Amino acid sequence: MELSTNLAALHLANHDFSFSLYKEVAKTETGNIFFSPLSIHVIMFIASVGAVSKTFDEMVATIHLNETTYSLEAYRQLLEDLTSENDNLKLATGTFIDTAYNVKDTFVENCRKYLKSSSKKLNFKNDPEQQRQYLNNWVLNETNNKIKDVFPKDSINVDTALVLANAVHFKSAWAHQFTSGKDGIFYVTPSNEVAVKMMTREHGFQYYHDSLLQFTALELPYENRSFKMIILLPDAKDGLNALENNFSKINLHDISKNMTQHYIRVKLPSFKLEQSLQLKDTLSNMGCPTMFTRQANFSNIVEGGNLYASNAVHKAYIDVNEYGTEAAAVTRMEFIPRRARLYTDFIVDHPFMFFISTRNNTIIFVGRVTTIIH
């Protein structure tokens, strides 16, 4: 298959994986949700480069690719496209391997060449605590000091053999700045309202109303228009649940195509979100349980291949205010040896979903806001 076909398949995989992941996370997370499906997709893809047989098949299916569409070259192009346009988005990936392991050169080379990933040997056996601090500092550095303590105390121990980490950081001003927040109301439920700061902006925006699924979509472009926030606001104050149940009928590409320019007065609360997700059960439920068991086969990473993933953890942060948005996320995956374990009003005054994506709808972040945290 040629590169453009594989790249199109990869864009579709990013979209469908984002929605699948959101659905799975929403089963156990109540309240606000925020994560970077891109970060998690990248880390899964890197791990899959080291996987073979059943482990590989499950991982590839989980990230919505298949034998035909799985392409290192397409992934290289995707990451290139995302990060070359400007410096609003920063992606960093690292593989950190215990010094006792003989890591295959092909794995290191593929990660470097195609996935912009650096590799480093760390002595987890002799000084796990020092390596934990090193990893936390690496993440802090790669996310503009936004993501702290991805690796909590004792998360790195003498059995840790391999850690995969991906950090993504996004910062951009709005194309059309908002006025600073005025006092407003946000309905957590139809009968429970909280005081919030509402930012306002009147401008021509891309807008779409879906009368069948009963929601409105609005596109808020960032400066230089390489990135945008898309807000999905249910018509009903308590309509978010119904919207989530209709995910199979929602496609951001179609929504973007159906949008038309309207002169709109937007009222949007400023908010901050920070969330950590334990992804072991989530990813297992989505179709790749083998990678977390001793049946895992990562023989393309190390000689002998006796590794399995002990956990996958993700942490994300976002700050949305009148000036713009700053967001960061980190996904880490640890492996341990097998021997161990007039305008139209668009008033965002009730629970909503949002996406931060590229101009071409590659989803970088996804979130849901049910209560406002300033």
Side-chain angles (χ1 to χ4, degrees):
M1 275 175 95
E2 59 182 52
L3 181 61
S4 60
T5 317
N6 279 331
L7 206 48
L10 200 46
H11 281 294
L12 184 62
N14 161 271
H15 181 281
D16 293 349
F17 177 72
S18 301
F19 277 80
S20 302
L21 193 57
Y22 181 99
K23 258 162 61 178
E24 194 57 46
V25 169
K27 287 178 186 173
T28 51
E29 295 288 330
T30 55
N32 296 338
I33 289 175
F34 184 64
F35 62 89
S36 171
L38 176 74
S39 172
I40 298 165
H41 202 275
V42 168
I43 217 74
M44 285 287 287
F45 191 87
I46 286 176
S48 75
V49 171
V52 297
S53 65
K54 188 184 179 185
T55 309
F56 175 82
D57 294 341
E58 286 181 0
M59 293 178 79
V60 170
T62 299
I63 57 176
H64 289 263
L65 292 170
N66 59 42
E67 232 172 272
T68 321
T69 56
Y70 185 89
S71 159
L72 282 163
E73 188 53 54
Y75 223 101
R76 187 196 64 74
Q77 190 62 52
L78 175 81
L79 297 178
E80 192 67 38
D81 292 348
L82 283 172
T83 50
S84 64
E85 288 206 15
N86 50 57
D87 41 9
N88 296 107
L89 183 71
K90 198 167 89 162
L91 270 173
T93 308
T95 55
F96 304 94
I97 304 136
D98 187 72
T99 46
Y101 280 83
N102 188 7
V103 180
K104 290 191 172 177
D105 291 342
T106 47
F107 178 74
V108 173
E109 183 56 22
N110 281 336
C111 287
R112 185 194 64 75
K113 184 177 170 186
Y114 295 105
L115 302 165
K116 292 182 181 290
S117 178
S118 58
S119 292
K120 191 170 172 66
K121 291 255 185 173
L122 295 178
N123 197 331
F124 294 120
K125 299 271 177 298
N126 283 7
D127 198 345
E129 178 54 25
Q130 189 186 338
Q131 308 313 338
R132 181 183 79 87
Q133 288 171 18
Y134 174 88
L135 290 167
N136 276 335
N137 286 334
W138 181 87
V139 169
L140 204 57
N141 191 40
E142 298 294 348
T143 60
N144 211 25
N145 292 336
K146 287 294 174 285
I147 305 278
K148 299 176 174 68
D149 297 325
V150 176
F151 298 90
K153 198 150 179 54
D154 300 327
S155 63
I156 301 293
N157 57 48
V158 293
D159 287 327
T160 302
L162 170 71
V163 173
L164 301 175
N166 171 270
V168 52
H169 179 257
F170 172 78
K171 186 175 187 176
S172 181
W174 298 114
H176 316 293
Q177 206 170 306
F178 285 80
T179 56
S180 59
K182 302 271 193 300
D183 291 341
I185 284 170
F186 188 89
Y187 294 89
V188 178
T189 67
S191 57
N192 175 15
E193 56 186 62
V194 295
V196 295
K197 290 284 179 211
M198 278 284 187
M199 324 180 290
T200 309
R201 179 74 171 122
E202 290 174 23
H203 203 273
F205 288 106
Q206 291 290 100
Y207 172 97
Y208 166 73
H209 182 256
D210 191 312
S211 49
L212 188 67
L213 300 180
Q214 299 184 316
F215 72 89
T216 304
L218 182 81
E219 188 178 286
L220 297 173
Y222 289 102
E223 65 180 353
N224 74 33
R225 299 184 181 269
S226 295
F227 298 94
K228 58 192 176 182
M229 179 184 282
I230 295 175
I231 295 174
L232 303 188
L233 182 69
D235 294 353
K237 285 194 168 48
D238 56 356
L240 186 60
N241 198 256
L243 184 65
E244 290 174 343
N245 289 336
N246 277 313
F247 260 11
S248 57
K249 299 173 190 157
I250 292 173
N251 183 303
L252 284 193
H253 299 276
D254 294 343
I255 288 172
S256 286
K257 267 193 256 164
N258 289 325
M259 282 180 163
T260 50
Q261 189 91 348
H262 289 252
Y263 193 70
I264 293 171
R265 178 174 65 170
V266 181
K267 288 189 171 183
L268 174 69
S270 52
F271 62 91
K272 285 182 187 179
L273 301 175
E274 184 170 22
Q275 185 160 36
S276 293
L277 295 174
Q278 301 290 326
L279 292 171
K280 184 177 175 179
D281 290 346
T282 306
L283 293 168
S284 295
N285 293 342
M286 286 172 68
C288 56
T290 307
M291 64 185 283
F292 297 107
T293 69
R294 290 168 191 215
Q295 280 70 55
N297 189 337
F298 286 102
S299 55
N300 278 347
I301 298 183
V302 296
E303 305 292 345
N306 61 336
L307 283 183
Y308 70 96
S310 57
N311 205 354
V313 180
H314 180 74
K315 193 168 185 180
Y317 160 93
I318 189 169
D319 180 2
V320 175
N321 57 41
E322 63 265 36
Y323 308 111
T325 297
E326 182 162 17
V330 173
T331 303
R332 67 178 169 87
M333 196 178 284
E334 291 162 37
F335 290 77
I336 55 175
R338 215 179 277 163
R339 63 180 183 276
R341 330 177 239 80
L342 195 61
Y343 42 69
T344 306
D345 267 332
F346 186 86
I347 301 173
V348 186
D349 65 355
H350 56 275
F352 63 98
M353 275 190 75
F354 68 94
F355 300 85
I356 294 175
S357 73
T358 62
R359 186 193 291 125
N360 308 324
N361 298 310
T362 298
I363 299 168
I364 317 288
F365 296 98
V366 59
R368 126 179 130 190
V369 179
T370 59
T371 187
I372 301 294
I373 301 161
H374 288 297

